[in-house]
Amino acid sequence: MLPESRARSEQEAGRAVESDGFPEETPESQEVTRQLQESEQRYRSLFENNVDVVVTFGLEGKFLQMNRATEQLLGIPAKELVGTPFLQMIVPERRAHSEREFFRVLEGTPVQYQTAVYNRRREVIDLHVTVIPIHYEGEITGIHCIGKDITKQKQLERKLNQLAYFDPLTGLPNRNSLDTNLSRQVGERRKFALLALDLDRLKAVNETWGREAGDRLLKIIAHRLRDFLPSSADFFRNSGDDFIVTYYCDTDDECLGFARSLEARLRDPVVLGEIELSITSRIGISTFPDDGIDPDALLRKADTAMFAARRNGRNRVAFYRDVKSKDDARQFQLEIALRSAIANDELSLAFQPQIDLATGEVHGLEALLRWLHPQHGQVPPDQFIPVAEESGLIHEIGMWVIEAACRQAVEWNHAGLGNLPVSVNISIHQFYDDEFAGQLENVIRVSGMDPSRLVLEITESISSNSDVVVAQLHRFKAIGVRIAIDDFGTGYSSLRYLKDFPVDYLKIDRSFVDHLESNEKERRLVATITALAHNFGLQTIAEGTETAEQVAIMRELGADHAQGYHFSRPLAPDALVSWLAARA
Ligand code: C2E
Ligand code: CA
Ligand code: CA
């Protein structure tokens, strides 16, 4: 409490001077004087020996007094500093802010903030400052400032930020920056084009002249483009030789002109030591909002267009809208392949553990469908489930999933691995299918599965049509299975529905987790969801927890269980058994 002790010592010092005027010193006044001297010394020592910067300013912001730490940090002796205005020490971009804060203190409010000053050698020093008014007899007579040197911490922060958001090779913003930027841009609701740009020759350069030459080429291209692009464009390195440019444009023609000039600039020869190369590129374009309103869709579509531009010999620039029908053709091909996937034994299940946050034990497993396409390799469920739904194949595939999950659970139980509950995802199409409940019952009976160990995960969107839904849910409950609402928080259902639904679990969608650490509102929302869920007798499962910190926050906010990469990715059955064994 520096200001108080200072203020007190000044006041008491004032009184001490008065008492000096008395002819006789009483024992009491001697004691007061001693105490005063002691407190004055304590203050001096706190001031002088403090490792932090301690400065007193006059009301007009000039240096009055400072400790040794200040002289050392700034490299300027006190006698030079006294009488100079502090504002000239502050780096220009912080001056206005520091000045505003100074005026707040003059009005009596203590403040804390971060700022940066120059030292004698014009090096920037980052400071965390606490600035407090000095009160004397009800008036503000000056200002104390305590500053902590946070230069190292700031440097580390900048470095981490650089690592997280920039590609070390080219210095360009990376995939993370792209994600952040796209989310912001789609929020602005202004038309823009997303250009996926791919270099034709990088692979050949790497193979012929080595990776170092390839890296040099990337750097040259990155710098060239950065100089070329107008301020209405942003430029990212997505991965490898794959760059993304976003560009505000009002018409498709404008965008096409821009893409062509970009491509032409890239074709200018590149000199790599002895070698002179001509680099060709392909550009695929999707536009917001015409081709999609979410970043993933825009990226995917720009990619599709880029691939089409690559197949097409002459045209190096392609719009998604012009190649769309070919994209539909891919869907059609997927559908044909999916038809024979079960018969060809291409489907399998991966299992992701769900952890009980109170005990740390495995609470259950979620079965996730995997498709190994003979030509395309692993196709993500997000891509083929919609195809299965549109084509009606989902009924057969969905039943295969339940059968396989039950078979696996029974097998593990017999092998002594415990009777862990297994969740399966149910498509909305299955949910509304009148035959589904009968088939489900049948599969459970044949497999020997304990129905109370089977959890059906149903997405939140069912809650829109609530009478039919409640009746259907009761049919499932009658079979003895449990029910989870999946991806809770992404749809439109209100928590109000929950009390009418015979549901056991609520899975809090992954999108909440992303914002927990920084967003207080999000945390309150999650706390409300878990509290209401508990009120209705439901347990909550936090999805997509990737870090220990996220898990800890979710536990604090009342989640019962958590699932996510922090504990484990979805694992093939053998890998899951090893994972369980390693924990035991
Ligand atoms: P979902 O039901 O929300 O499944 C969770 C998805 O999140 C899984 O993706 C899983 O791999 C992923 N995930 C788990 N933990 C994390 C994490 O910590 N971070 C991140 N970023 N992701 C995590 P997957 O396996 O690709 O499945 C995607 C979606 O496909 C599922 O979302 C589900 O809606 C659907 N799906 C999967 N299997 C089936 C199925 O058998 N039937 C139906 N109808 N849909 C399925
Ligand atoms: Ca799920
Ligand atoms: Ca989910």
Side-chain angles (χ1 to χ4, degrees):
M1 293 277 92
L2 201 48
E4 276 172 32
S5 72
R6 162 81 180 179
R8 208 182 309 128
S9 73
E10 277 174 349
Q11 271 172 6
E12 287 169 356
R15 245 182 277 135
V17 170
E18 272 168 26
S19 70
D20 268 349
F22 286 105
E24 288 166 62
E25 272 196 316
T26 61
E28 289 82 7
S29 69
Q30 275 173 356
E31 175 57 15
V32 168
T33 312
R34 197 193 58 73
Q35 279 181 8
L36 280 175
Q37 280 165 350
E38 193 185 310
S39 107
E40 174 72 15
Q41 261 168 22
R42 235 185 284 139
Y43 163 71
R44 286 242 146 263
S45 141
L46 195 58
F47 180 81
E48 271 309 322
N49 302 325
N50 207 316
V51 291
D52 290 335
V53 163
V54 187
V55 181
T56 312
F57 294 109
L59 295 178
E60 57 308 314
K62 290 184 178 152
F63 283 92
L64 286 185
Q65 229 187 342
M66 66 230 64
N67 64 353
R68 271 193 299 274
T70 313
E71 296 176 286
Q72 276 160 5
L73 188 76
L74 296 177
I76 306 175
K79 58 179 190 302
E80 272 182 47
L81 278 171
V82 169
T84 62
F86 83 96
L87 218 49
Q88 72 182 34
M89 313 287 300
I90 310 269
V91 299
E93 60 273 24
R94 296 305 194 100
R95 267 180 211 160
H97 176 251
S98 297
E99 194 171 14
R100 268 199 310 279
E101 294 297 316
F102 191 83
F103 282 119
R104 280 180 63 202
V105 184
L106 284 184
E107 280 161 14
T109 323
V111 297
Q112 289 197 331
Y113 60 97
Q114 292 188 0
T115 187
V117 299
Y118 289 119
N119 65 10
R120 162 146 276 169
R121 289 193 300 225
R122 297 296 283 175
E123 292 159 338
V124 174
I125 295 172
D126 292 291
L127 288 178
H128 177 272
V129 294
T130 305
V131 192
I132 37 203
I134 307 170
H135 292 278
Y136 180 62
E137 294 189 340
E139 298 241 350
I140 294 172
T141 56
I143 281 178
H144 271 321
C145 171
I146 303 160
K148 200 174 219 22
D149 179 5
I150 52 166
T151 312
K152 286 223 174 70
Q153 185 186 326
K154 280 282 171 193
Q155 276 165 352
L156 189 67
E157 249 171 54
R158 281 192 276 267
K159 183 126 189 220
L160 288 176
N161 189 46
Q162 181 76 19
L163 284 177
Y165 288 100
F166 293 87
D167 164 42
L169 178 70
T170 59
L172 290 178
N174 64 9
R175 177 74 210 223
N176 275 342
S177 303
L178 174 65
D179 288 344
T180 320
N181 218 59
L182 281 181
S183 312
R184 180 181 55 72
Q185 261 177 290
V186 301
E188 282 173 4
R189 314 234 157 260
R190 179 177 159 199
K191 185 174 168 105
F192 71 90
L194 192 150
L195 290 76
L197 190 154
D198 179 82
L199 305 179
D200 282 344
R201 305 272 300 272
L202 180 72
K203 196 158 168 272
V205 170
N206 276 336
E207 279 165 12
T208 319
W209 292 292
R211 279 201 72 98
E212 217 175 283
D215 284 355
R216 286 222 314 279
L217 174 67
L218 281 169
K219 272 197 222 171
I220 293 172
I221 296 287
H223 289 151
R224 182 182 280 186
L225 284 184
R226 198 161 33 194
D227 293 342
F228 173 78
L229 291 177
S231 61
S232 50
D234 283 306
F235 183 28
F236 307 86
R237 182 173 181 208
N238 197 18
S239 66
D241 55 354
D242 182 4
F243 297 91
I244 300 283
V245 177
T246 60
Y247 179 65
Y248 288 108
C249 53
D250 294 323
T251 64
D252 283 357
D253 279 347
E254 188 190 330
C255 173
L256 184 64
F258 170 70
R260 290 231 168 99
S261 62
L262 194 67
E263 195 271 322
R265 178 71 185 99
L266 280 175
R267 243 182 301 136
D268 287 348
V270 175
V271 181
L272 279 180
E274 311 273 276
I275 323 151
E276 189 178 299
L277 282 172
S278 165
I279 300 296
T280 50
S281 57
R282 307 285 165 162
I283 299 177
I285 307 172
S286 62
T287 54
F288 171 90
D290 315 64
D291 295 326
I293 52 167
D294 71 287
D296 280 347
L298 290 168
L299 282 168
R300 196 160 26 83
K301 289 177 175 175
D303 246 12
T304 305
M306 194 264 290
F307 278 109
R310 218 199 247 163
R311 279 199 300 270
N312 185 327
R314 271 181 323 180
N315 243 339
R316 301 183 192 285
V317 177
F319 275 96
Y320 175 72
R321 57 173 156 70
D322 298 331
V323 302
K324 203 154 92 203
S325 55
K326 297 208 188 71
D327 201 27
D328 292 343
R330 180 181 144 83
Q331 300 275 316
F332 188 59
Q333 280 169 357
L334 274 186
E335 185 186 324
I336 294 174
L338 199 54
R339 278 185 195 285
S340 46
I342 295 184
N344 295 346
D345 214 8
E346 290 163 11
L347 298 184
S348 64
L349 292 180
F351 293 87
Q352 190 177 33
Q354 302 169 329
I355 307 298
D356 185 329
L357 291 178
T359 63
E361 296 197 17
V362 180
H363 174 76
L365 305 167
E366 178 176 12
L368 292 154
L369 186 54
R370 295 292 175 257
W371 178 24
L372 187 64
H373 186 287
Q375 278 93 43
H376 301 316
Q378 285 286 351
V379 186
D382 288 332
Q383 271 178 33
F384 71 83
I385 298 282
V387 176
E389 288 178 334
E390 277 161 35
S391 60
L393 284 167
I394 192 68
H395 299 284
E396 190 190 344
I397 291 175
M399 213 32 85
W400 180 90
V401 169
I402 298 175
E403 225 171 65
C406 289
R407 208 183 317 121
Q408 187 58 264
V410 169
E411 190 187 309
W412 279 335
N413 193 16
H414 287 169
L417 281 167
N419 201 2
L420 285 176
V422 174
S423 310
V424 289
N425 291 283
I426 302 297
S427 153
I428 200 91
H429 297 256
Q430 295 170 275
F431 183 85
Y432 286 119
D433 178 10
D434 272 335
E435 285 170 25
F436 178 74
Q439 292 170 348
L440 175 69
E441 196 163 21
N442 201 32
V443 166
I444 290 173
R445 192 168 30 83
V446 171
S447 66
M449 177 80 175
D450 171 358
S452 73
R453 299 275 130 179
L454 184 66
V455 184
L456 306 185
E457 291 196 2
I458 299 163
T459 61
E460 196 198 352
S461 49
I462 51 160
S463 36
S464 47
N465 193 356
S466 86
D467 273 355
V468 185
V469 170
V470 173
Q472 190 71 323
L473 289 174
H474 279 293
R475 278 177 82 183
F476 300 161
K477 288 298 284 190
I479 299 169
V481 298
R482 290 171 198 255
I483 293 164
I485 303 278
D486 204 353
D487 306 338
F488 189 83
T490 55
Y492 306 97
S493 77
S494 102
L495 285 159
R496 189 161 48 86
Y497 285 117
L498 288 177
K499 75 173 180 1
D500 305 324
F501 283 177
V503 172
D504 306 278
Y505 296 101
L506 202 74
K507 298 192 76 176
I508 303 169
D509 190 68
R510 190 165 84 216
S511 53
F512 286 95
V513 167
D514 292 341
H515 303 113
L516 283 181
E517 276 135 305
S518 59
N519 193 330
E520 170 66 23
K521 234 162 86 194
E522 209 84 346
R523 281 201 292 271
R524 246 177 288 148
L525 192 57
V526 171
T528 310
I529 293 175
T530 55
L532 271 171
H534 291 159
N535 204 25
F536 295 141
L538 312 187
Q539 295 183 39
T540 50
I541 303 174
E543 289 192 294
T545 44
E546 297 188 349
T547 65
E549 173 153 14
Q550 290 169 348
V551 172
I553 298 176
M554 276 299 189
R555 183 192 289 120
E556 216 170 274
L557 297 177
D560 302 291
H561 314 288
Q563 176 181 354
Y565 295 170
H566 173 64
F567 299 107
S568 167
R569 294 187 173 248
L571 298 170
D574 287 349
L576 183 88
V577 171
S578 313
W579 185 87
L580 287 171
R583 278 175 72 90

